[in-house]
Amino acid sequence: MLRLTQVILPLDHTDDDLQQAVLTLLNINEEDLLSFSVFKSGYDARKREQIKMIYTLDVDTLSNTELLERFAGNQNIKATPDTTYQFVGELPTEQTTHTDRPIVIGFGPCGLFIGLILAQMGFNPIILERGKDVKRRTKDTWDLWRNRKLHVDSNVQFGEGGAGTFSDGKLYSQIKDRKHYGRKVLNEFVQAGAPEEILTISKPHIGTFKLVKMIQNMRQTIIDLGGEIRFDSHVEEFVMDGDAVKGVRLRGSDSQGGQTIMSNHIALAVGHSARDTFEQLQKQNIYMEAKPFSVGFRIEHPQSMIDKERFGTNAGNERLGAADYKLVHHCKNGRSVYSFCMCPGGTVVAATSEEGHVVSNGMSQYSRNERNANAAIVVGIEPAKDYPGDPLAGIELQRRIEKAAYVLGGENYNAPVQLVGDYLNKKPSTELGDVTPSYQPGVTLTDLSVLLPDFANEAIREAIPAFDKKIKGFGRKDAVLTAAETRTSSPLCIKRDDTYQSINTKGLYPAGEGAGYAGGILSAGVDGIRVAEAMALSMLKQISEQ
């Protein structure tokens, strides 16, 4: 088959127009065309009144070989690549050929794919998740949102599915993916019940409700393949033998009763909020480094305003859906401010995992039809400038902001909020405008500038008017800022070598966002596949040496 890229058509084109574009590009007759399908579609909205659709197509004709020769110099006409997932190694013919069951700590997107791949390879992984299954976890999460009751091991951050479960469910990334692992992730999601369109649209998303059912299906697949998933299983300590990990010891109050589970292949996929785990790693001298992260606020605007400013008269077009944005501004003080985790037609949610803290995050359903758009507006924090020394110092900075936000909100899990106009004019807010904040369980109007370092306030105050020049109305006076956005990424990196093992702890495989190697559902899933392969290769080597 042929892969055609950069096939550009008007927004209002028909299916017949798409077929005609194929015939024209290849200069063939209709009878020579056997079939074509959309591999990927997106849009170019830089000119909002002349929005173009951009397609990548897979085409089959009566003369594929001849056409490839004719268009050999055309970078937009190539042979369709094989995107089928293939493991690089020879798998055991029977599951009983090994006794060392690998352990996966964490059941977010990364741990999910480590467990799935290992199970598909026949290695019977044991997956340990400190939180609850997604059904019970959803109930606990709503308990905070509705009743102000926090469950510290079952919330937006912890539990089956990880932090990505209560998000927009974005499934795109800028990672390099030459082995098509991203396609493997998307294919597994579709098999588990995700909409098939995630395979073809350029910025796919799932939404929270669809994610919940999908994760349940993937869990059952792992179990059916011989894997084991233990919820309410909080790893408290690593069993060590010199510089090698040999197992884990669970917290005694957990359902497993402080059980010790032995294995010399352990994946650590705990997410960016497992602060007690990071503290334990430091106690056991497992090497970590501080890494940059960002802090700031969530900003809310009417979604209709964002649609109009991004799409003009094309706002509301079914092919476009709810408009998103991605913004960045480099400030005079040397800092950068950028939008992060933009949620079209979504809500701002309570996302703390520690008592006496307030954390905000964004979430959308698949329909993206809520009134407001929201996104994090954050400024970069740099270890060398802002918290040199201890790798855990970034966590302490996050905690200081979150604790202060809790106090500022009224010490009842209300989020402190401020209108953009008041924030820019350095005065507390006392009443809302037309934009109604979506955060639950509630909000408290106040002055947010006391939460962040002076350089961060200075940078954000410079960035918002700059963003307003790109999206008119972005700096509107009654847009709402909600604090605190602190969990943008892990503030540390658990360093690993080219075998994906910790650089000073054999058998420990740091993985995903919490270890500093991913930033979202798709990239976490891809990193999970890489780590699973590395673990499998090591176990296969052990088997061959027995």
Side-chain angles (χ1 to χ4, degrees):
M1 293 186 73
L2 309 178
R3 172 70 54 85
L4 275 59
T5 58
Q6 290 296 306
V7 180
I8 301 174
L9 290 171
L11 179 61
D12 59 353
H13 72 82
T14 66
D15 290 343
D16 288 342
D17 293 334
L18 192 57
Q19 176 174 308
Q20 186 58 49
V22 173
L23 300 176
T24 301
L25 286 168
L26 295 178
N27 193 21
I28 59 175
N29 297 319
E30 185 174 348
E31 55 266 27
D32 295 325
L33 178 64
L34 298 177
S35 65
F36 73 94
S37 61
V38 176
F39 178 78
K40 193 69 67 176
S41 67
Y43 59 79
D44 180 353
R46 286 175 294 180
K47 296 181 180 180
R48 62 184 187 180
E49 301 301 336
Q50 299 179 35
I51 296 176
K52 303 290 186 181
M53 294 297 297
I54 305 174
Y55 290 96
T56 297
L57 305 173
D58 285 331
V59 180
D60 195 15
T61 75
L62 292 173
S63 52
N64 291 341
T65 302
E66 177 186 332
L67 289 170
L68 285 173
E69 292 175 356
R70 186 194 310 171
F71 293 103
N74 190 327
Q75 294 300 310
N76 294 323
I77 303 175
K78 298 289 183 181
T80 298
D82 183 3
T83 58
T84 305
Y85 172 73
Q86 296 180 355
F87 172 64
V88 287
E90 185 176 348
L91 295 176
T93 56
E94 297 181 8
Q95 292 183 339
T96 56
T97 56
H98 56 88
T99 58
D100 179 29
R101 295 182 69 183
I103 293 173
V104 182
I105 306 174
F107 201 39
C110 184
L112 175 68
F113 272 91
I114 297 173
L116 179 65
I117 297 299
L118 290 175
Q120 289 175 341
M121 293 176 178
F123 287 105
N124 303 342
I126 299 172
I127 302 172
L128 305 174
E129 168 56 51
R130 70 191 293 167
K132 299 178 182 179
D133 63 85
V134 72
K135 185 176 180 180
R136 292 185 298 151
R137 176 195 179 195
T138 300
K139 181 179 178 181
D140 289 344
T141 299
W142 279 98
D143 209 12
L144 173 61
W145 296 351
R146 290 173 173 168
N147 305 316
R148 305 176 190 273
K149 183 179 179 181
L150 173 67
H151 301 260
V152 294
D153 279 331
S154 182
N155 46 61
V156 167
Q157 306 297 345
F158 298 137
E160 183 179 24
T165 304
F166 298 97
S167 70
D168 188 44
K170 294 179 181 64
L171 297 175
Y172 48 93
S173 173
Q174 294 180 333
I175 59 173
K176 294 180 180 179
D177 188 22
R178 295 186 180 91
K179 294 185 178 180
H180 308 293
Y181 290 168
R183 194 72 177 177
K184 167 71 169 175
V185 171
L186 296 180
N187 281 328
E188 292 292 349
F189 283 163
V190 169
Q191 289 183 33
E196 289 194 20
E197 70 175 29
I198 69 171
L199 295 173
T200 58
I201 60 177
S202 62
K203 293 183 178 181
H205 78 284
I206 300 179
T208 293
F209 288 164
K210 290 183 181 292
L211 274 167
V212 168
K213 184 61 177 176
M214 188 187 74
I215 290 166
Q216 290 175 319
N217 291 338
M218 295 183 75
R219 178 220 304 166
Q220 190 58 50
T221 297
I222 293 171
I223 294 171
D224 291 344
L225 290 170
E228 181 181 352
I229 299 155
R230 303 184 186 182
F231 297 109
D232 302 301
S233 296
H234 190 151
V235 172
E236 188 169 57
E237 187 179 8
F238 296 88
V239 179
M240 304 294 296
D241 181 9
D243 65 350
V245 66
K246 294 299 180 181
V248 297
R249 191 168 293 115
L250 302 181
R251 180 176 291 176
S253 60
D254 289 336
S255 60
Q256 300 299 324
Q259 179 184 4
T260 297
I261 307 173
M262 304 303 291
S263 175
N264 56 14
H265 289 87
I266 300 175
L268 185 66
V270 292
H272 57 44
S273 293
R275 293 165 171 173
D276 50 358
T277 302
F278 300 146
E279 291 166 355
Q280 183 60 34
L281 292 172
Q282 188 178 57
K283 287 179 183 177
Q284 297 193 250
N285 298 314
I286 295 168
Y287 186 78
M288 299 178 290
E289 290 181 357
K291 63 173 279 293
F293 63 102
S294 301
V295 298
F297 313 120
R298 279 268 149 187
I299 189 167
E300 289 190 270
H301 303 92
Q303 180 63 45
S304 58
M305 184 199 86
I306 301 298
D307 290 344
K308 181 180 178 181
E309 291 304 313
R310 291 278 284 115
F311 297 150
T313 57
N314 291 303
N317 187 290
E318 187 176 336
R319 279 186 171 140
L320 300 175
D324 63 3
Y325 58 78
K326 186 175 182 180
L327 301 167
V328 63
H329 177 69
H330 303 290
C331 303
K332 295 176 183 177
N333 66 2
R335 303 285 177 163
S336 292
V337 178
Y338 61 98
S339 63
F340 173 79
C341 186
M342 193 274 163
C343 296
T347 55
V348 179
V349 298
T352 186
S353 55
E354 294 182 324
E355 293 181 348
H357 292 228
V358 164
V359 179
S360 66
N361 195 13
M363 184 180 84
S364 294
Q365 299 301 342
Y366 176 71
S367 60
R368 289 178 165 176
N369 63 0
E370 299 292 336
R371 178 182 299 179
N372 290 349
N374 76 78
I377 299 298
V378 291
V379 59
I381 302 294
E382 302 174 27
K385 289 183 179 179
D386 303 318
Y387 61 103
D390 187 351
L392 300 185
I395 291 175
E396 291 310 308
L397 175 58
Q398 290 174 324
R399 280 175 165 157
R400 286 198 300 271
I401 295 171
E402 294 166 12
K403 288 177 182 177
Y406 178 75
V407 172
L408 204 58
E411 300 185 76
N412 60 357
Y413 293 109
N414 270 14
V417 303
Q418 188 174 14
L419 273 59
V420 165
D422 293 333
Y423 178 74
L424 295 178
N425 290 318
K426 302 181 181 180
K427 65 178 185 179
S429 289
T430 57
E431 60 181 354
L432 295 170
D434 290 339
V435 181
T436 302
S438 58
Y439 181 98
Q440 295 294 330
V443 300
T444 301
L445 288 160
T446 185
D447 179 4
L448 297 183
S449 63
V450 300
L451 295 177
L452 301 184
D454 289 343
F455 69 79
N457 285 311
E458 179 185 357
I460 293 173
R461 286 185 175 123
E462 180 183 325
I464 289 176
F467 293 160
D468 190 75
K469 294 178 180 178
K470 298 177 181 180
I471 300 176
K472 186 178 179 182
F474 193 91
R476 59 186 283 171
K477 294 180 180 179
D478 63 347
V480 175
L481 297 171
T482 304
E485 180 77 31
T486 52
R487 310 283 182 96
T488 53
S489 66
S490 180
L492 52 81
C493 179
I494 307 169
K495 301 295 288 185
R496 64 192 188 192
D497 61 21
D498 56 4
T499 68
Y500 291 86
Q501 297 178 72
S502 160
I503 62 172
N504 74 335
T505 307
K506 295 177 182 177
L508 184 66
Y509 293 78
E513 193 162 347
Y517 295 100
I521 294 173
L522 184 64
S523 62
V526 168
D527 197 58
I529 295 174
R530 292 170 178 158
V531 168
E533 288 189 342
M535 296 173 73
L537 288 171
S538 177
M539 287 185 287
L540 289 172
K541 182 179 179 182
Q542 277 191 355
I543 292 169
S544 68
E545 293 173 350
Q546 290 177 353

